[in-house]
Amino acid sequence: MPTDLPLQDTDQGELVSGRSPWGRTALHPWYNPLHESASFDVAIVGGGITGSLVAEHLTARGLSVCVLDSEKPGLGSTSASTAMLQWEIDTQLSELSLYYGFDKAAAIYRRSLVAVSGLAKLIQRHDIHCGLRPRSTLYLTSNAGGARELQREMAFRDRAGLPGEFLSHPYLMTEFEIERDGGILSSGAAEADPLLLSWGLLAVAVKRGAYLTNASATQLHAEGARVVIETDTRHVIEAKHVVLATGYSMPGLPMPKLHHATSSWALATVPQDPATLWRDRVLMWEDSRPYLYMRTSTDNRIIVGGEDDDTTDAGVRDGKMPEKIETLRHKLQLLWPQADTTVDYRWCGTFGETADGLPLIGPVPDMPRVLAAYGYGGNGITFSFMAALMIGAMISDTRRDWFDDFALDRETPAFKTFSAGSDCHASGASF
Ligand SMILES: Cc1cc2nc3c(=O)[nH]c(=O)nc-3n(C[C@H](O)[C@H](O)[C@H](O)COP(=O)(O)OP(=O)(O)OC[C@H]3O[C@@H](n4cnc5c(N)ncnc54)[C@H](O)[C@@H]3O)c2cc1C
């Protein structure tokens, strides 16, 4: 039975504003207008980091691929990302275990860990110059008494076989000069310039024959083994599968009740004297809500983000910029008094979250040939990498039970009591 899905297209200007420091050393990839109707194995709607990762992966599998973007690829949420490539999920392992049981939650965390190292290897394999640096993360408690909670979280991570160690207040003070009650130091994360990464991946896909075109997808029409994409031009794209990688610009999907849109703000300081930066330039983030996160850049800036709130109107979000940036600057000063907090870049963007902190990846209900790739949350890019691999498997009819963990129509998690006796030696994480 034919099924139609009208697609929305939100201007990138609605999603992000201000100026981030990314992509200064490169030109955006060349894209063609849609001159004629054409047919592909897979059409990807959206050329941000998610669409780029999917395009790279599917062209590596020998599929013919078209990437449509209504604007300049990468200049949506990808250009606003602070690009901390983390395996730690916004929802702590202890909390995710309450929702889904320890075994499933631990397996999800382990997959996330594998995904970050897979992404780093992919970048290295293609020699993409995007400032990739392996980093450890320092997850800090924001309040007195939070240390005990982090110790408990570390115990869950230990059981799951995840890397990391709990650091007490004295250790944080002497080794990191950070005045907090406790923290978790973990290896296995990385940082990058998200725009250079996204453009680099698109360039790889285009070199392999992917067709990158500037068109807005306005409607999907699925019938039998084909999906037709109507565009804002006179032409259509036909494909065996369509991937929706439209970021936080949501098409008219019956999205799960799990999803929630917010806004987030970020700044980059002037370059610092490298000698004044913190130990190992770890990625720092807090257990608070709204949370604070910090990293450094290859040119020695400090990038600080957070102050998320429920704002969804772009005008209101932009109006809050001065106040939010000042709050972030003040929090930076408190956490790292050595910093020169002069702000060079300030920006903000719409941010999407889910109730369980997990992405939305998989077939759109009633449209099995339309696959969604929505990597929400603070580690959206890690989830986008997972989405690329999962979608590659789904297209070749490979199914894994755990794909359902990220299904669009999964239930909002019911609160479950953690069973202390459950097996924590679930099978290793692999795709
Ligand atoms: C302030 C901020 C900080 C963040 N920090 C981090 C972080 O540290 N680490 C991390 O992993 N993640 C972070 N994220 C999340 C991460 O940035 C996102 O998960 C990621 O950028 C989403 O990429 P995307 O390709 O899915 O979306 P986008 O980059 O928005 O790309 C979607 C593209 O689809 C196009 N499009 C939309 N609709 C249509 C249509 N109908 N037809 C054609 N084209 C269409 C748009 O023009 C756009 O180019 C952060 C996000 C924000 C806002």
Side-chain angles (χ1 to χ4, degrees), residues 185-209:
L185 180 67
S186 312
S187 58
E191 67 186 28
D193 175 324
L195 206 46
L196 293 183
L197 172 56
S198 181
W199 289 347
L201 290 163
L202 271 183
V204 171
V206 166
K207 212 165 161 190
R208 290 188 185 134

Side-chain angles (χ1 to χ4, degrees), residues 193-244:
D193 175 324
L195 206 46
L196 293 183
L197 172 56
S198 181
W199 289 347
L201 290 163
L202 271 183
V204 171
V206 166
K207 212 165 161 190
R208 290 188 185 134
Y211 185 66
L212 177 59
T213 188
N214 180 224
S216 176
T218 53
Q219 172 110 1
L220 301 185
H221 179 75
E223 186 164 9
R226 310 294 294 171
V227 184
V228 174
I229 304 181
E230 288 175 22
T231 69
D232 59 347
T233 74
R234 289 183 294 120
H235 310 295
V236 298
I237 299 282
E238 201 184 67
K240 292 179 198 154
H241 290 92
V242 168
V243 178
L244 294 177

Side-chain angles (χ1 to χ4, degrees), residues 2-8 45 217-222 227-230 242 244 246 250-255 363-367 370-372 374 408:
T3 322
D4 288 327
L5 179 68
L7 293 185
Q8 291 157 11
V45 185
T218 53
Q219 172 110 1
L220 301 185
H221 179 75
V227 184
V228 174
I229 304 181
E230 288 175 22
V242 168
L244 294 177
T246 54
M250 311 282 293
L253 292 179
M255 288 312 280
V364 168
D366 302 325
M367 299 185 92
V370 179
L371 302 163
Y374 295 119
L408 272 71

Side-chain angles (χ1 to χ4, degrees), residues 76-136:
S77 304
T78 298
S79 65
S81 182
T82 45
M84 302 188 359
L85 307 178
Q86 288 180 255
W87 55 265
E88 292 160 287
I89 298 169
D90 286 348
T91 307
Q92 290 186 354
L93 176 58
S94 48
E95 189 184 344
L96 202 61
S97 300
L98 289 174
Y99 297 154
Y100 297 126
F102 177 78
D103 293 348
K104 182 164 152 178
I108 291 169
Y109 258 77
R110 284 192 292 265
R111 279 192 189 96
S112 184
L113 177 65
V114 170
V116 177
S117 74
L119 176 57
K121 281 184 199 139
L122 179 74
I123 296 168
Q124 283 157 351
R125 193 160 63 243
H126 292 303
D127 195 23
I128 296 174
H129 294 254
C130 62
L132 174 74
R133 301 277 186 277
R135 296 283 185 223
S136 292

Side-chain angles (χ1 to χ4, degrees), residues 37-322:
S37 295
S39 185
F40 299 87
D41 290 328
V42 184
I44 301 166
V45 185
I49 185 66
T50 311
S52 308
L53 281 161
V54 176
E56 188 286 327
H57 185 65
L58 298 187
T59 52
R61 286 174 160 245
L63 296 166
S64 67
V65 167
C66 171
V67 180
L68 299 90
D69 202 304
S70 49
E71 297 180 70
K72 283 188 186 145
L75 297 193
S77 304
T78 298
S79 65
S81 182
T82 45
M84 302 188 359
L85 307 178
Q86 288 180 255
W87 55 265
E88 292 160 287
I89 298 169
D90 286 348
T91 307
Q92 290 186 354
L93 176 58
S94 48
E95 189 184 344
L96 202 61
S97 300
L98 289 174
Y99 297 154
Y100 297 126
F102 177 78
D103 293 348
K104 182 164 152 178
I108 291 169
Y109 258 77
R110 284 192 292 265
R111 279 192 189 96
S112 184
L113 177 65
V114 170
V116 177
S117 74
L119 176 57
K121 281 184 199 139
L122 179 74
I123 296 168
Q124 283 157 351
R125 193 160 63 243
H126 292 303
D127 195 23
I128 296 174
H129 294 254
C130 62
L132 174 74
R133 301 277 186 277
R135 296 283 185 223
S136 292
T137 57
L138 185 57
Y139 182 40
L140 295 167
T141 179
S142 54
N143 55 11
R148 195 177 306 151
E149 212 180 289
L150 287 197
Q151 261 175 317
R152 185 169 167 272
E153 170 67 10
M154 193 57 238
F156 272 74
R157 293 185 186 192
D158 276 342
R159 287 186 57 202
L162 296 164
E165 59 178 318
F166 175 79
L167 305 185
S168 61
H169 176 260
Y171 192 97
L172 276 172
M173 271 307 284
T174 51
E175 297 297 317
F176 283 90
E177 299 171 63
I178 299 264
E179 176 67 72
R180 287 293 166 92
D181 275 3
I184 294 177
L185 180 67
S186 312
S187 58
E191 67 186 28
D193 175 324
L195 206 46
L196 293 183
L197 172 56
S198 181
W199 289 347
L201 290 163
L202 271 183
V204 171
V206 166
K207 212 165 161 190
R208 290 188 185 134
Y211 185 66
L212 177 59
T213 188
N214 180 224
S216 176
T218 53
Q219 172 110 1
L220 301 185
H221 179 75
E223 186 164 9
R226 310 294 294 171
V227 184
V228 174
I229 304 181
E230 288 175 22
T231 69
D232 59 347
T233 74
R234 289 183 294 120
H235 310 295
V236 298
I237 299 282
E238 201 184 67
K240 292 179 198 154
H241 290 92
V242 168
V243 178
L244 294 177
T246 54
Y248 304 138
S249 156
M250 311 282 293
L253 292 179
M255 288 312 280
K257 297 139 271 176
L258 285 164
H259 174 254
H260 178 63
T262 63
S263 288
S264 191
W265 288 261
L267 66 81
T269 66
V270 292
Q272 311 284 315
D273 174 353
T276 64
L277 292 171
W278 53 89
R279 189 178 129 178
D280 300 336
R281 295 182 173 213
V282 291
L283 312 179
M284 286 196 258
W285 63 305
E286 273 188 339
D287 63 356
S288 61
R289 286 285 184 275
Y291 71 111
L292 179 77
Y293 50 94
M294 280 168 49
R295 56 165 280 194
T296 58
S297 65
T298 48
D299 58 353
N300 305 315
R301 299 174 191 280
I302 299 176
I303 296 169
V304 188
E307 282 306 295
D308 305 15
D309 71 23
D310 284 344
T311 309
T312 51
D313 179 272
V316 176
R317 184 193 70 213
D318 298 351
K320 289 184 176 177
M321 184 99 92

